[in-house]
Amino acid sequence: MIDYQNHTLAVDGVPLTQIADTFGTPCYVYSAAALTGAFEAYRSAFAGLDPLICFAVKANSNLSILQHFARLGAGFDIVSGGELARVLAAGSPADKVVFSGVGKSEAEMEMALQAGIHCFNVESVNELARLNAVAGRLGKRAPVSLRVNPDVDAKTHPYISTGLKDNKFGIAFDEARAVYKAAASLEHLDIVGIDCHIGSQLTDVSPLVDALDRLLVLIDQLAEDGIVLEHVDIGGGLGIRYTDETPPDIAAYAARVAERLAGRQLKLVMEPGRSLVGNAGVLLTRVEYLKLGQDKHFAIVDAAMNDLMRPSLYDAYHGIVPVTQKDGLAALTVDVVGPICESSDFLGKNRALAIEQGDLLAVLSAGAYGSTMSSNYNTRARAAEVLVEDGQPRLIRRRETLDELLANERELLKD
Ligand SMILES: *Cc1c(COP(=O)(O)O)cnc(C)c1O
């Protein structure tokens, strides 16, 4: 876990000062104990339902983190052929993988059919047709679940971003029954399930439960049509605490789900991402310069928007704390910014920090949608990643080298 020990922030007992000395900065640091704790919270809350908990790989796709979850018994929710390659490389059995996303290519479908994944979460009529054709060509049958858009009332739950009529995800609720009938007539598909995913960082589970209620209505209608589903996938979306949010109580959520699934022969699948990794990681960075202005002060750090994009992209808030607590040092109100040539390159604004130039900072809650959204903007090598397991830090992604960054272009230079 991540806490102060003798005034120094530590991950599973290892001081971040030591990690910075060994691996350099910027660097993502994860707690294996926190990953396990988050997974076990789901597993124990839903124990009575024996669910397939598919970690949403896009939240954090590092091979060692995927391996950690695979060893705990997790399945995986992927959104690309690249993510499939990752989960297989991490040792996950293919039959625990569900494949989401609106734009699956033929090559990706082939890859997933050859691997033998658990299920394709199909998001459109034309995707069904393509999948049927690809499966036919390979002499395979494709297991299919339709991602249904439950159109949960936005007025009561305005923060939902993917479960409403007017977005690109899923099949409209009103059309789903007809699409299922059409799907059932396609020769190379096995209709096995239904799924939805209505949004991310939800702090209230009511919309998730409302969405499940809508799916259950549809499931009963489909049974009347002779289409009997094996599983219901309730998606991901549970929020975490970045600052003062109250994250949903997983046990209370599980109780409401269990109540609804009681007496039904339906396997439960879910796709949590952020809530399994978000608070298990920090981004460790060093203050390169303190720049004190007349109106505003800046802490210019060695991490930037290319390392952690969420503040720039969504104006997301991440806690930022000094790695070493220094007694008697006055706090300064600073914007914590990176070296990138964009005004949007900030990690936090107006933070009161008792720091000096050269100090280490930890950007908190950076385990989800941090490293996976990183880029090479400004020709910056992507950060190293370290996993602390049983008090031992282990490098799980080497810092990129400049040679690696140039390689794909250097060979193509003209004389
Ligand atoms: C992103 C995503 C998830 C995970 O969402 P979180 O908010 O990180 O839990 C699950 N399912 C699908 C289809 C997704 O796109």
Side-chain angles (χ1 to χ4, degrees):
M1 304 290 166
I2 302 167
D3 55 6
Y4 282 97
Q5 300 183 357
N6 304 319
H7 300 284
T8 301
L9 195 64
V11 172
D12 291 357
V14 180
L16 286 171
T17 43
Q18 178 192 323
I19 289 182
D21 286 346
T22 310
F23 303 102
T25 56
C27 177
Y28 278 97
V29 187
Y30 308 103
S31 152
L35 297 173
T36 302
F39 185 79
E40 291 304 337
Y42 273 95
R43 181 145 61 194
S44 64
F46 284 94
L49 295 168
D50 189 26
L52 178 60
I53 304 169
C54 293
F55 171 56
V57 173
K58 74 180 192 287
N60 192 315
S61 61
N62 184 287
L63 291 180
S64 293
I65 291 198
L66 300 181
Q67 180 187 53
H68 186 86
F69 284 128
R71 286 178 174 167
L72 293 174
F76 296 95
D77 172 45
I78 59 166
V79 292
S80 71
E83 289 188 350
L84 177 57
R86 283 184 175 276
V87 298
L88 297 177
S92 168
D95 65 4
K96 285 186 169 182
V97 174
V98 301
F99 192 170
S100 302
V102 294
K104 301 176 193 78
S105 70
E106 288 194 13
E108 288 175 322
M109 288 175 174
E110 269 185 34
M111 220 175 136
L113 283 166
Q114 298 290 16
I117 64 166
H118 183 66
C119 184
F120 290 85
N121 290 341
V122 172
E123 305 217 13
S124 67
V125 174
N126 289 341
E127 185 189 336
L128 273 179
R130 176 183 278 185
L131 183 57
N132 186 56
V134 174
R137 179 151 49 74
L138 297 183
K140 304 234 178 230
R141 300 188 64 78
V144 164
S145 154
L146 294 190
R147 174 167 177 183
V148 172
N149 189 331
D151 194 29
V152 177
D153 186 358
K155 286 194 183 115
T156 49
H157 310 295
Y159 43 77
I160 293 169
S161 53
T162 62
L164 286 170
K165 268 187 187 158
D166 58 355
N167 69 60
K168 70 178 178 181
F169 300 103
I171 291 164
F173 188 82
D174 304 343
E175 295 165 16
R177 193 172 178 180
V179 177
Y180 264 102
K181 277 194 197 170
S185 73
L186 295 176
E187 238 180 309
H188 307 292
L189 306 183
D190 287 327
I191 311 305
V192 296
I194 189 166
D195 78 288
C196 70
H197 172 70
I198 60 171
S200 202
Q201 185 55 17
L202 276 76
T203 50
D204 175 8
V205 297
S206 297
L208 295 166
V209 176
D210 291 351
L212 173 59
D213 282 335
R214 300 210 75 186
L215 294 192
L216 291 171
V217 169
L218 196 53
I219 286 169
D220 291 339
Q221 291 172 345
L222 292 171
E224 288 170 22
D225 299 340
I227 299 170
V228 178
L229 302 182
E230 293 162 22
H231 78 245
V232 59
D233 178 342
I234 57 176
L238 260 59
I240 62 168
R241 170 170 290 184
Y242 285 98
T243 167
D244 54 4
E245 301 92 339
T246 309
D249 176 352
I250 298 183
Y253 177 41
R256 292 174 72 179
V257 171
E259 194 180 279
R260 283 159 175 82
L261 296 187
R264 290 179 177 267
Q265 298 299 312
L266 272 175
K267 171 89 177 165
L268 178 65
V269 179
M270 62 185 82
E271 305 168 351
R274 187 191 312 272
S275 50
L276 288 179
V277 289
N279 275 327
V282 303
L283 174 59
L284 181 60
T285 182
R286 193 177 290 282
V287 179
E288 295 276 9
Y289 298 99
L290 275 182
K291 185 172 177 181
L292 307 184
Q294 280 178 341
D295 301 323
K296 206 158 181 69
H297 305 320
F298 295 95
I300 302 170
V301 299
D302 63 3
M305 64 186 280
N306 76 299
D307 299 299
L308 180 65
M309 203 182 185
R310 299 185 70 258
S312 309
L313 189 62
Y314 314 120
D315 210 16
Y317 181 96
H318 284 263
I320 301 177
V321 296
V323 166
T324 304
Q325 293 172 322
K326 294 180 171 171
D327 288 342
L329 187 64
L332 206 57
T333 299
V334 296
D335 283 5
V336 179
V337 302
I340 283 183
C341 302
E342 297 271 349
S343 295
S344 63
D345 180 26
F346 66 92
L347 299 174
K349 289 190 169 164
N350 298 315
R351 304 301 175 88
L353 291 168
I355 49 168
E356 297 169 289
Q357 194 163 296
D359 282 358
L360 292 167
L361 298 178
V363 183
L364 306 178
S365 312
Y369 306 105
S371 65
T372 49
M373 292 179 95
S374 65
S375 77
N376 294 121
Y377 190 39
N378 279 210
T379 306
R380 287 169 51 85
R382 266 173 290 197
E385 295 182 88
V386 169
L387 178 62
V388 183
E389 298 160 305
D390 300 323
Q392 295 297 323
R394 180 165 70 86
L395 187 64
I396 59 169
R397 180 186 170 111
R398 275 193 291 271
R399 184 180 309 287
E400 272 175 331
T401 65
L402 295 181
D403 266 352
E404 286 167 337
L405 290 190
L406 304 195
N408 289 336
E409 299 156 52
R410 189 168 2 229
E411 293 157 17
L412 305 177
L413 271 180
K414 286 193 203 163
D415 299 329

